[in-house]
Coordinates of all heavy atoms in Angstrom, one line a residue:
M112 N 111.5 160.8 152.9 CA 110.4 160.0 152.3 C 110.8 158.6 152.2 O 112.0 158.2 152.0 CB 110.2 160.6 150.9 CG 109.2 159.9 150.1 SD 108.7 160.9 148.7 CE 107.0 160.6 148.7
A113 N 109.8 157.7 152.3 CA 110.0 156.3 152.3 C 109.4 155.6 151.0 O 108.5 156.2 150.5 CB 109.5 155.6 153.5
A114 N 109.9 154.5 150.7 CA 109.4 153.7 149.5 C 109.3 152.2 149.9 O 110.1 151.8 150.8 CB 110.2 153.9 148.3
A115 N 108.5 151.5 149.3 CA 108.4 150.0 149.6 C 108.6 149.3 148.3 O 108.0 149.6 147.2 CB 107.0 149.7 150.2
D116 N 109.4 148.2 148.3 CA 109.6 147.3 147.2 C 109.0 146.0 147.6 O 109.4 145.3 148.6 CB 111.1 147.2 146.9 CG 111.7 148.5 146.5 OD1 111.1 149.3 145.7 OD2 112.8 148.8 147.0
M117 N 108.0 145.5 146.8 CA 107.4 144.2 147.1 C 108.4 143.1 146.7 O 108.9 143.1 145.6 CB 106.1 144.0 146.4 CG 105.3 142.8 146.9 SD 103.7 142.5 146.1 CE 102.9 144.0 146.1
L118 N 108.6 142.2 147.7 CA 109.6 141.1 147.5 C 108.9 139.8 147.1 O 109.3 139.2 146.1 CB 110.4 140.9 148.8 CG 111.2 142.1 149.3 CD1 111.8 141.7 150.6 CD2 112.2 142.5 148.3
T119 N 107.9 139.4 147.8 CA 107.1 138.2 147.5 C 105.7 138.4 147.7 O 105.2 139.3 148.4 CB 107.6 137.0 148.4 OG1 107.3 137.4 149.8 CG2 109.1 136.7 148.3
S120 N 104.9 137.5 147.1 CA 103.4 137.5 147.3 C 103.0 136.1 147.3 O 103.5 135.2 146.6 CB 102.8 138.3 146.1 OG 101.4 138.5 146.4
Q121 N 102.0 135.8 148.2 CA 101.5 134.5 148.4 C 99.9 134.5 148.4 O 99.3 135.5 148.8 CB 101.9 133.8 149.7 CG 103.4 133.6 149.7 CD 103.8 133.1 151.1 OE1 103.3 133.5 152.1 NE2 104.8 132.1 151.1
L122 N 99.4 133.4 147.8 CA 97.9 133.2 147.9 C 97.7 132.1 148.9 O 98.2 131.0 148.8 CB 97.4 132.8 146.5 CG 96.0 132.4 146.4 CD1 95.1 133.7 146.6 CD2 95.7 131.8 145.0
R123 N 96.8 132.5 149.9 CA 96.5 131.5 151.0 C 95.1 131.1 150.9 O 94.2 132.0 151.0 CB 96.9 132.1 152.3 CG 96.7 131.2 153.5 CD 97.2 131.9 154.8 NE 97.2 131.0 155.9 CZ 96.4 131.1 156.9 NH1 95.6 132.1 157.0 NH2 96.5 130.2 157.9
L124 N 94.8 129.9 150.8 CA 93.4 129.4 150.8 C 93.1 128.7 152.1 O 93.9 127.8 152.5 CB 93.2 128.4 149.6 CG 93.6 128.8 148.2 CD1 93.3 127.7 147.2 CD2 92.8 130.1 147.9
V125 N 92.1 129.1 152.8 CA 91.7 128.5 154.1 C 90.5 127.7 153.9 O 89.5 128.2 153.4 CB 91.5 129.7 155.1 CG1 91.1 129.1 156.5 CG2 92.7 130.6 155.2
F126 N 90.6 126.4 154.3 CA 89.5 125.5 154.2 C 88.9 125.1 155.5 O 89.6 125.0 156.5 CB 89.9 124.2 153.5 CG 90.4 124.5 152.1 CD1 91.8 124.7 151.8 CD2 89.6 124.5 151.0 CE1 92.3 124.9 150.6 CE2 90.0 124.7 149.7 CZ 91.4 125.0 149.5
Y127 N 87.6 125.0 155.5 CA 86.8 124.5 156.7 C 86.9 123.0 156.8 O 86.6 122.3 155.9 CB 85.4 125.0 156.7 CG 84.5 124.5 157.8 CD1 84.6 125.1 159.1 CD2 83.7 123.4 157.7 CE1 83.9 124.6 160.1 CE2 82.9 123.0 158.7 CZ 83.0 123.6 160.0 OH 82.3 123.1 161.0
V128 N 87.5 122.5 158.0 CA 87.6 121.1 158.2 C 86.5 120.5 159.0 O 86.0 119.4 158.7 CB 89.0 120.8 158.9 CG1 89.2 119.3 159.2 CG2 90.1 121.3 158.1
G129 N 86.0 121.2 160.0 CA 84.9 120.7 160.8 C 85.0 121.5 162.2 O 85.6 122.5 162.3
E130 N 84.4 120.8 163.2 CA 84.4 121.4 164.5 C 85.2 120.5 165.5 O 85.1 119.3 165.4 CB 83.0 121.6 165.0 CG 82.3 122.7 164.2 CD 80.9 123.0 164.8 OE1 80.5 122.4 165.8 OE2 80.2 123.9 164.2
D131 N 85.8 121.1 166.4 CA 86.5 120.4 167.5 C 85.5 119.8 168.4 O 84.5 120.4 168.8 CB 87.4 121.4 168.3 CG 88.2 120.7 169.4 OD1 89.3 120.2 169.1 OD2 87.6 120.6 170.5
V132 N 85.6 118.5 168.7 CA 84.6 117.7 169.4 C 84.5 118.3 170.8 O 83.4 118.4 171.4 CB 85.0 116.2 169.5 CG1 84.0 115.4 170.3 CG2 85.1 115.7 168.1
M133 N 85.6 118.7 171.4 CA 85.6 119.1 172.8 C 85.1 120.5 173.0 O 84.2 120.8 173.8 CB 87.0 119.0 173.4 CG 87.5 117.6 173.4 SD 86.6 116.5 174.5 CE 87.2 116.9 176.1
S134 N 85.5 121.4 172.2 CA 85.2 122.9 172.3 C 84.1 123.3 171.4 O 83.5 124.4 171.7 CB 86.4 123.7 172.1 OG 86.8 123.7 170.8
G135 N 83.9 122.6 170.3 CA 82.9 123.0 169.4 C 83.3 124.2 168.5 O 82.6 124.7 167.7
K136 N 84.6 124.6 168.6 CA 85.2 125.6 167.7 C 85.5 125.1 166.4 O 85.9 123.9 166.2 CB 86.4 126.2 168.4 CG 86.1 127.0 169.7 CD 87.4 127.6 170.2 CE 87.1 128.3 171.5 NZ 88.3 128.9 172.1
P137 N 85.4 125.9 165.3 CA 85.7 125.5 164.0 C 87.2 125.2 163.8 O 88.0 125.8 164.5 CB 85.3 126.6 163.1 CG 85.2 127.8 164.0 CD 84.9 127.3 165.4
I138 N 87.5 124.2 162.9 CA 88.9 123.9 162.6 C 89.1 124.3 161.1 O 88.3 123.9 160.3 CB 89.1 122.4 162.8 CG1 88.9 122.0 164.3 CG2 90.6 122.0 162.4 CD1 88.9 120.5 164.5
Y139 N 90.2 124.9 160.9 CA 90.6 125.3 159.5 C 92.0 124.8 159.2 O 92.8 124.7 160.0 CB 90.6 126.9 159.4 CG 89.2 127.5 159.8 CD1 89.1 128.1 161.0 CD2 88.2 127.5 158.9 CE1 87.9 128.7 161.4 CE2 87.0 128.1 159.2 CZ 86.8 128.6 160.5 OH 85.6 129.2 160.8
K140 N 92.2 124.5 157.9 CA 93.5 124.2 157.4 C 93.7 125.1 156.2 O 92.8 125.5 155.5 CB 93.5 122.7 156.9 CG 93.2 121.7 157.9 CD 94.5 121.2 158.5 CE 94.1 120.1 159.5 NZ 95.2 119.4 160.0
A141 N 95.0 125.5 156.0 CA 95.4 126.4 155.0 C 96.4 125.8 154.0 O 97.2 125.0 154.4 CB 95.9 127.7 155.6
K142 N 96.3 126.2 152.8 CA 97.3 125.9 151.8 C 97.8 127.2 151.2 O 97.0 128.1 150.9 CB 96.7 125.0 150.7 CG 96.3 123.7 151.2 CD 95.9 122.7 150.1 CE 95.5 121.4 150.7 NZ 95.5 120.4 149.7
T143 N 99.1 127.4 151.1 CA 99.7 128.6 150.6 C 100.5 128.3 149.3 O 101.2 127.4 149.2 CB 100.6 129.2 151.7 OG1 99.9 129.3 152.9 CG2 101.2 130.5 151.3
F144 N 100.3 129.3 148.3 CA 101.0 129.2 147.0 C 101.7 130.5 146.8 O 101.2 131.6 147.0 CB 99.9 129.0 145.9 CG 99.1 127.7 146.2 CD1 97.9 127.9 146.9 CD2 99.4 126.5 145.7 CE1 97.1 126.7 147.1 CE2 98.6 125.4 145.9 CZ 97.4 125.5 146.6
N145 N 102.9 130.4 146.3 CA 103.7 131.6 145.8 C 103.1 132.0 144.5 O 102.8 131.2 143.6 CB 105.2 131.2 145.6 CG 105.8 130.9 147.0 OD1 105.5 131.5 148.0 ND2 106.8 130.1 146.9
V146 N 102.9 133.3 144.4 CA 102.3 133.9 143.2 C 103.2 135.1 142.7 O 104.0 135.6 143.5 CB 100.9 134.3 143.3 CG1 100.0 133.2 143.6 CG2 100.7 135.4 144.4
H147 N 103.0 135.5 141.5 CA 103.8 136.7 141.0 C 103.3 137.9 141.8 O 102.1 138.1 142.1 CB 103.5 136.9 139.5 CG 104.2 135.9 138.6 ND1 105.5 136.0 138.3 CD2 103.7 134.8 138.1 CE1 105.8 134.9 137.5 NE2 104.7 134.2 137.4
T148 N 104.3 138.8 142.0 CA 104.0 140.0 142.8 C 103.1 140.9 142.0 O 102.4 141.8 142.6 CB 105.2 140.7 143.2 OG1 106.0 141.0 142.0 CG2 106.1 139.9 144.2
D149 N 103.0 140.8 140.7 CA 102.2 141.7 139.9 C 100.8 141.1 139.6 O 100.1 141.6 138.8 CB 102.9 142.1 138.6 CG 103.3 140.9 137.7 OD1 103.2 139.8 138.2 OD2 103.7 141.2 136.6
A150 N 100.5 139.9 140.2 CA 99.2 139.3 140.0 C 98.1 140.2 140.5 O 98.2 140.8 141.5 CB 99.1 138.0 140.7
T151 N 97.0 140.3 139.7 CA 95.9 141.2 140.0 C 94.9 140.4 141.0 O 95.0 139.2 141.1 CB 95.1 141.6 138.8 OG1 94.5 140.5 138.2 CG2 96.0 142.3 137.8
V152 N 94.0 141.2 141.6 CA 93.0 140.6 142.5 C 92.2 139.6 141.7 O 91.8 138.5 142.2 CB 92.2 141.7 143.2 CG1 91.1 141.1 144.0 CG2 93.1 142.5 144.1
E153 N 91.8 140.0 140.5 CA 91.0 139.1 139.6 C 91.7 137.8 139.3 O 91.1 136.8 139.4 CB 90.6 139.9 138.4 CG 89.6 139.2 137.5 CD 88.2 139.2 138.1 OE1 87.9 140.1 138.9 OE2 87.4 138.3 137.8
D154 N 93.0 137.9 139.0 CA 93.8 136.7 138.7 C 93.8 135.8 140.0 O 93.6 134.6 139.8 CB 95.3 137.1 138.4 CG 95.4 137.8 137.1 OD1 94.6 137.7 136.2 OD2 96.5 138.5 137.0
L155 N 94.0 136.4 141.1 CA 94.1 135.5 142.3 C 92.7 134.9 142.7 O 92.7 133.8 143.1 CB 94.6 136.4 143.5 CG 96.1 136.9 143.3 CD1 96.5 137.7 144.5 CD2 97.0 135.7 143.1
F156 N 91.7 135.7 142.5 CA 90.4 135.2 142.7 C 90.1 134.0 141.8 O 89.6 132.9 142.3 CB 89.3 136.2 142.6 CG 87.9 135.7 142.8 CD1 87.4 135.5 144.1 CD2 87.1 135.4 141.7 CE1 86.1 135.1 144.3 CE2 85.8 134.9 141.9 CZ 85.3 134.7 143.2
N157 N 90.3 134.1 140.5 CA 90.1 133.0 139.6 C 90.9 131.8 139.9 O 90.5 130.7 139.8 CB 90.4 133.5 138.2 CG 89.4 134.5 137.7 OD1 88.2 134.6 138.2 ND2 89.7 135.4 136.7
A158 N 92.2 132.0 140.3 CA 93.1 130.9 140.6 C 92.5 130.2 141.9 O 92.5 129.0 142.0 CB 94.5 131.4 140.9
S159 N 92.1 131.0 142.9 CA 91.6 130.4 144.1 C 90.3 129.6 143.9 O 90.2 128.5 144.5 CB 91.3 131.5 145.2 OG 90.2 132.3 144.8
Q160 N 89.5 130.0 143.0 CA 88.3 129.3 142.7 C 88.6 127.9 141.9 O 88.0 126.9 142.2 CB 87.3 130.1 141.8 CG 86.8 131.3 142.5 CD 86.1 131.0 143.9 OE1 85.2 130.3 143.9 NE2 86.7 131.6 144.9
A161 N 89.6 128.0 141.0 CA 90.0 126.8 140.3 C 90.7 125.8 141.3 O 90.4 124.6 141.2 CB 91.0 127.2 139.2
L162 N 91.5 126.3 142.2 CA 92.2 125.4 143.1 C 91.2 124.8 144.1 O 91.3 123.7 144.5 CB 93.3 126.2 143.8 CG 94.5 126.5 143.0 CD1 95.4 127.5 143.7 CD2 95.3 125.2 142.6
A163 N 90.3 125.7 144.6 CA 89.3 125.2 145.6 C 88.4 124.1 145.0 O 88.0 123.2 145.7 CB 88.4 126.4 146.0
S164 N 88.1 124.2 143.7 CA 87.3 123.1 143.1 C 87.9 121.8 143.1 O 87.3 120.8 142.9 CB 86.9 123.6 141.6 OG 88.0 123.5 140.8
L165 N 89.2 121.7 143.3 CA 90.0 120.5 143.3 C 90.1 119.9 144.7 O 90.6 118.8 144.9 CB 91.4 120.7 142.7 CG 91.5 121.2 141.3 CD1 92.9 121.5 140.9 CD2 90.8 120.2 140.3
Q166 N 89.6 120.6 145.7 CA 89.7 120.2 147.1 C 88.5 119.5 147.6 O 87.4 119.7 147.0 CB 90.0 121.4 148.0 CG 91.2 122.2 147.5 CD 92.5 121.4 147.6 OE1 92.8 120.8 148.5 NE2 93.3 121.5 146.5
E167 N 88.6 118.7 148.6 CA 87.5 118.0 149.2 C 86.7 118.9 150.2 O 85.5 118.7 150.4 CB 87.9 116.7 149.9 CG 88.5 115.6 148.9 CD 88.9 114.4 149.7 OE1 88.7 114.3 150.9 OE2 89.5 113.5 149.0
R168 N 87.5 119.8 150.8 CA 86.9 120.6 151.9 C 86.4 121.9 151.3 O 86.9 122.4 150.3 CB 87.9 120.9 153.0 CG 88.4 119.6 153.6 CD 89.4 119.9 154.7 NE 89.6 118.7 155.5 CZ 90.7 118.0 155.5 NH1 91.7 118.3 154.7 NH2 90.9 116.9 156.2
P169 N 85.4 122.5 151.9 CA 84.8 123.8 151.4 C 85.8 124.9 151.7 O 86.4 125.0 152.8 CB 83.5 123.9 152.2 CG 83.6 123.1 153.4 CD 84.6 122.0 153.0
L170 N 85.9 125.9 150.8 CA 86.7 127.0 150.9 C 86.1 128.0 151.9 O 84.9 128.3 151.7 CB 86.9 127.7 149.5 CG 87.8 128.9 149.5 CD1 89.2 128.6 149.9 CD2 87.7 129.5 148.1
F171 N 86.8 128.5 152.9 CA 86.3 129.4 153.9 C 86.8 130.8 153.6 O 86.0 131.7 153.7 CB 86.8 129.0 155.3 CG 86.4 129.9 156.3 CD1 85.1 130.0 156.8 CD2 87.3 130.8 156.9 CE1 84.7 130.9 157.8 CE2 87.0 131.7 157.9 CZ 85.7 131.7 158.3
N172 N 88.0 131.0 153.2 CA 88.6 132.3 153.0 C 89.7 132.3 152.0 O 90.4 131.3 151.9 CB 89.1 132.9 154.4 CG 89.3 134.3 154.4 OD1 88.7 135.1 153.6 ND2 90.0 134.8 155.4
V173 N 89.9 133.4 151.4 CA 91.1 133.6 150.4 C 91.8 134.8 150.9 O 91.3 135.9 151.2 CB 90.6 133.8 149.0 CG1 91.8 134.0 148.1 CG2 89.7 132.6 148.5
E174 N 93.2 134.7 151.0 CA 94.0 135.8 151.5 C 95.2 136.0 150.6 O 95.7 135.0 150.0 CB 94.5 135.5 152.9 CG 93.4 135.2 153.9 CD 93.9 134.6 155.2 OE1 95.1 134.4 155.4 OE2 93.1 134.4 156.1
R175 N 95.6 137.2 150.5 CA 96.9 137.5 149.8 C 97.9 138.0 150.9 O 97.5 138.9 151.7 CB 96.7 138.6 148.8 CG 98.0 138.9 148.0 CD 97.7 140.0 147.0 NE 99.0 140.1 146.2 CZ 99.0 140.6 144.9 NH1 97.9 140.9 144.4 NH2 100.1 140.7 144.3
I176 N 99.1 137.5 150.9 CA 100.1 137.8 151.8 C 101.3 138.4 151.0 O 101.9 137.7 150.2 CB 100.6 136.6 152.6 CG1 99.4 136.0 153.3 CG2 101.7 137.0 153.6 CD1 99.7 134.6 153.9
D177 N 101.5 139.7 151.2 CA 102.6 140.4 150.5 C 103.7 140.7 151.5 O 103.5 141.1 152.7 CB 102.2 141.7 149.9 CG 101.2 141.5 148.8 OD1 101.3 140.4 148.1 OD2 100.3 142.3 148.6
K178 N 105.0 140.6 151.1 CA 106.1 140.9 151.9 C 106.9 142.0 151.1 O 107.3 141.8 150.0 CB 107.0 139.7 152.1 CG 108.2 140.0 153.0 CD 109.0 138.7 153.2 CE 110.3 139.0 154.0 NZ 111.1 137.8 154.1
S179 N 107.1 143.1 151.8 CA 107.8 144.3 151.2 C 108.9 144.7 152.0 O 109.0 144.5 153.2 CB 106.8 145.4 151.0 OG 105.8 145.1 150.1
E180 N 109.9 145.3 151.3 CA 111.0 145.9 152.0 C 110.8 147.4 152.0 O 110.5 148.0 150.9 CB 112.3 145.6 151.3 CG 113.5 146.2 151.9 CD 114.8 145.8 151.2 OE1 115.0 146.3 150.0 OE2 115.6 145.0 151.7
I181 N 110.9 148.1 153.2 CA 110.6 149.5 153.3 C 112.0 150.2 153.4 O 112.8 149.7 154.2 CB 109.7 149.8 154.4 CG1 108.4 149.2 154.2 CG2 109.6 151.3 154.6 CD1 107.5 149.3 155.4
R182 N 112.2 151.2 152.6 CA 113.5 151.8 152.6 C 113.3 153.3 152.4 O 112.2 153.8 152.0 CB 114.4 151.3 151.4 CG 113.7 151.5 150.1 CD 114.6 151.0 148.9 NE 113.9 151.0 147.7 CZ 113.6 152.1 147.0 NH1 113.9 153.3 147.4 NH2 112.9 152.0 145.9
Q183 N 114.4 154.0 152.6 CA 114.4 155.5 152.4 C 114.5 155.7 150.9 O 115.4 155.2 150.3 CB 115.5 156.2 153.2 CG 115.4 157.7 153.1 CD 116.5 158.3 154.0 OE1 117.2 157.6 154.7 NE2 116.5 159.6 154.0
A184 N 113.7 156.6 150.4 CA 113.7 156.9 148.9 C 114.8 157.9 148.6 O 115.2 158.7 149.4 CB 112.4 157.4 148.5

């Protein structure tokens, strides 16, 4: 049997910058913040909205990135 221990968690905010002039494809920039591993989805959503309101660019996406260690239990 295996178990996983969460080591770190990050909140990643992706902002829309504009479109590439040559290709017409969208351009995005991201900002990443370390957060507590026990933060709830609601906590992260509220934090993302507060942080996004301080930015000049529109928020495109919110992501949570977790890193875990998998071991034998």
Side-chain angles (χ1 to χ4, degrees):
M112 178 165 221
D116 299 319
M117 192 179 312
L118 301 175
T119 62
S120 189
Q121 297 177 318
L122 177 65
R123 184 172 187 248
L124 305 181
V125 181
F126 297 94
Y127 176 75
V128 177
E130 291 186 1
D131 183 88
V132 177
M133 299 297 281
S134 67
K136 293 182 181 179
I138 300 172
Y139 302 102
K140 298 267 181 168
K142 294 190 179 193
T143 305
F144 304 89
N145 292 328
V146 296
H147 288 279
T148 55
D149 60 350
T151 66
V152 173
E153 189 71 25
D154 292 337
L155 296 179
F156 179 78
N157 291 335
S159 69
Q160 297 305 299
L162 291 167
S164 71
L165 301 173
Q166 305 299 311
E167 292 179 9
R168 297 182 170 107
L170 183 63
F171 175 76
N172 197 20
V173 178
E174 303 169 357
R175 179 179 188 156
I176 304 166
D177 294 327
K178 181 178 178 184
S179 297
E180 179 179 70
I181 300 173
R182 59 178 172 76
Q183 186 173 0

